[in-house]
Amino acid sequence: MSDDKHKNDAIDAGLIRSLADILNDTGLTEIEVERGELRIRVAREVTVAAAPIQYAAAPAPVAHAAPAAAAPASMPSDPAALVSRKGEEVKSPMVGTAYLQPSPEAPAFVKPGDKVKKGQTLLIVEAMKTMNPIQAPRDGVVSEILVGDAQPVEFGEALVMLEA
């Protein structure tokens, strides 16, 4: 009976290496496996870097700027709303669900008008049951939050507008 106990206590290095390979191959940040009472969790810390800003042609002054400003924030794909935005877009590095606060009863990480420091968490994106903090790429002021709480987001979708 004591030999069985030692077999269960032994860590399967091959299994851990396989799990680490799966993390690297899939881009996941965490994976967990349970076999009976044995539970192995392999995780890696990921630093999310801001995507470089890409500019198209410089927008010309828009004569109908008032209707663009009235466009609802829930429609970030509206071309008029995109032209009226000022600042740097902080984009989602993955597909997932955006959360504006750490838990339902907690206050939001940030709100429009807040001054933020580089590395400060703006919101989180949950992907495959892993919470990934989206951090400010630089010091600035949150001018607009472009997503709602618990809203699905796509890779590259603008989440927050950050001004100097």
Side-chain angles (χ1 to χ4, degrees), residues 58-134:
V62 179
H64 48 50
S74 63
M75 296 180 58
S77 61
D78 179 19
L82 292 175
V83 171
S84 70
R85 292 199 179 116
K86 295 179 184 175
E88 175 183 352
E89 292 180 339
V90 178
K91 297 181 179 185
S92 178
M94 64 196 71
V95 173
T97 303
Y99 292 101
L100 303 180
Q101 65 261 2
S103 65
E105 56 279 339
F109 287 106
V110 295
K111 58 188 178 304
D114 284 356
K115 290 182 181 180
V116 295
K117 296 284 185 191
K118 180 179 180 178
Q120 181 178 338
T121 299
L122 302 172
L123 52 92
I124 53 178
V125 174
E126 176 194 10
M128 299 182 72
K129 297 187 181 187
T130 300
M131 299 300 178
N132 301 284
I134 306 303

Side-chain angles (χ1 to χ4, degrees), residues 53 55 84-89 138 143 160-164:
I53 301 173
Y55 294 98
S84 70
R85 292 199 179 116
K86 295 179 184 175
E88 175 183 352
E89 292 180 339
R138 59 175 174 77
S143 63
V160 175
M161 292 301 290
L162 194 60
E163 291 182 345

Side-chain angles (χ1 to χ4, degrees), residues 7-90:
K7 287 180 186 175
N8 289 339
D9 290 343
I11 295 175
D12 185 348
L15 174 60
I16 293 173
R17 281 192 181 92
S18 297
L19 293 173
D21 288 341
I22 291 170
L23 286 181
N24 290 331
D25 293 345
T26 61
L28 295 173
T29 57
E30 179 179 318
I31 191 166
E32 187 172 318
V33 174
E34 286 187 48
R35 288 185 182 167
E37 292 183 20
L38 177 65
R39 183 181 201 182
I40 298 176
R41 179 177 166 264
V42 179
R44 63 184 165 122
E45 186 171 326
V46 175
T47 303
V48 178
I53 301 173
Q54 297 178 355
Y55 294 98
V62 179
H64 48 50
S74 63
M75 296 180 58
S77 61
D78 179 19
L82 292 175
V83 171
S84 70
R85 292 199 179 116
K86 295 179 184 175
E88 175 183 352
E89 292 180 339
V90 178

